[in-house]
Amino acid sequence: MEIIRYRVIDSTNSTAHGLAEAGRPEWTVVVAESQTNGRGRHGKSWISPTGGLWFSVILRPNLSIDQLPITQFYASNAVRTALARATQSRLFTKWPNDLILGGKKVGGILVETKSSGGKGSFSIVGVGVNIRVQTSALPEEAASIYPASNMTAPPEGVLELILQQMVSDYESLNQPKEILNLWWADCLHKNQKVQVETTEGVIVGTNVGLDDSGRLLLAAGDGTMRVVAEGSLRLFPQV
Ligand code: BTN
């Protein structure tokens, strides 16, 4: 494993992407103290001042394009497990990979993949955790690990724990069902009514599970089962 450290960078995901394109091996890690153009899901920006943990890992899993979505559930399990251990608290995951502590989002994961010839050629797993970011810098729905928990470890210590967990869970990528079961066990909205904003409109239903690709299964009021691959989820009716 090679860890490349920056003080300030635009986005660790963008840098890791460039390195992966240039042929850097799996487990090359890019970490920055702050990012000037941190990126979140759905093209949103990600606030990344000092006091947070911002890093990206190059992975080259042997997966077909259809299997690639499992990578984000693997990553969210590993980060959640490591943070739960570090904070001695229970964390939940909001689909697909928001990390929730005390009802607030303390971290997120952005997985970007490149594929060729029907197979994944690399995945960039970008992880952002608000370790000790000033509340005033964060959006209303977000919080920092400290003071949401009593954990006082610095970002570097938490990085080490998460990377260890990612390495030890890596083989589980061959067992997607296990990954999804583990993810579901700590799902924030297990069997809850949710609403998901998709490009085709808002879908409301009770989240009864995930399918084999990690898509949301929502039992709608009209008795149909809706399958959602992409979107922004909120608990209902907390709009
Ligand atoms: C989300 O929208 O919840 C995902 C946020 C992912 C942020 C991390 S911070 C490190 C890495 N570099 C980026 O530009 N984004 C990810």
Side-chain angles (χ1 to χ4, degrees):
M1 181 178 294
E2 186 189 8
I3 302 183
I4 304 170
R5 292 184 169 80
Y6 290 87
R7 226 166 61 71
V8 187
I9 205 175
D10 58 346
S11 155
T12 57
N13 258 43
S14 304
T15 303
H17 203 280
L19 292 173
E21 291 274 20
R24 288 291 183 111
E26 207 169 45
W27 299 110
T28 300
V29 180
V30 177
V31 56
E33 283 175 32
S34 65
Q35 300 181 118
T36 53
N37 191 22
R39 296 187 285 109
R41 293 176 62 242
H42 305 303
K44 290 191 186 151
S45 63
W46 181 262
I47 297 161
S48 331
T50 53
L53 173 59
W54 327 119
F55 72 96
S56 303
V57 185
I58 299 175
L59 295 179
R60 298 183 183 276
N62 187 17
L63 298 175
S64 67
I65 291 180
D66 292 351
Q67 296 167 323
L68 284 175
I70 204 68
T71 316
Q72 58 184 340
F73 296 92
Y74 144 77
S76 87
N77 285 345
V79 176
R80 190 186 67 245
T81 304
L83 290 178
R85 201 164 285 154
T87 59
Q88 300 285 298
S89 309
R90 184 164 183 201
L91 279 94
F92 291 89
T93 331
K94 184 161 87 68
W95 185 80
N97 46 32
D98 287 357
L99 298 150
I100 309 291
L101 175 63
K104 296 240 178 184
K105 177 165 172 173
V106 293
I109 298 170
L110 176 67
V111 178
E112 296 177 307
T113 56
K114 183 171 174 186
S115 47
S116 62
K119 297 211 94 182
S121 101
F122 61 78
S123 291
I124 306 300
V125 177
V127 179
V129 185
N130 304 325
I131 302 283
R132 208 172 182 148
V133 175
Q134 291 211 330
T135 312
S136 58
L138 295 171
E140 169 63 28
E141 68 282 3
S144 270
I145 293 279
Y146 183 89
S149 79
N150 288 328
M151 190 204 78
T152 53
E156 268 296 313
V158 181
L159 171 67
E160 199 173 309
L161 289 175
I162 293 176
L163 290 175
Q164 275 170 9
Q165 195 66 45
M166 286 180 70
V167 169
S168 73
D169 288 358
Y170 197 46
E171 278 195 6
S172 71
L173 277 174
N174 300 321
Q175 283 147 337
K177 277 229 158 72
E178 276 183 23
I179 292 180
L180 292 171
N181 287 342
L182 189 60
W183 186 93
W184 182 244
D186 282 324
C187 170
L188 181 73
H189 39 82
K190 185 163 37 172
N191 301 319
Q192 303 280 313
K193 194 170 177 184
V194 298
Q195 70 170 48
V196 188
E197 244 180 84
T198 73
T199 45
E200 279 120 48
V202 175
I203 301 172
V204 176
T206 301
N207 182 204
V208 292
L210 298 177
D211 76 1
D212 290 351
S213 307
R215 295 180 296 188
L216 276 183
L217 297 175
L218 299 184
D222 61 4
T224 60
M225 187 67 75
R226 308 291 300 268
V227 184
V228 185
E230 186 65 56
S232 187
L233 179 147
R234 284 168 193 264
L235 287 169
F236 192 88
Q238 191 192 349
V239 193

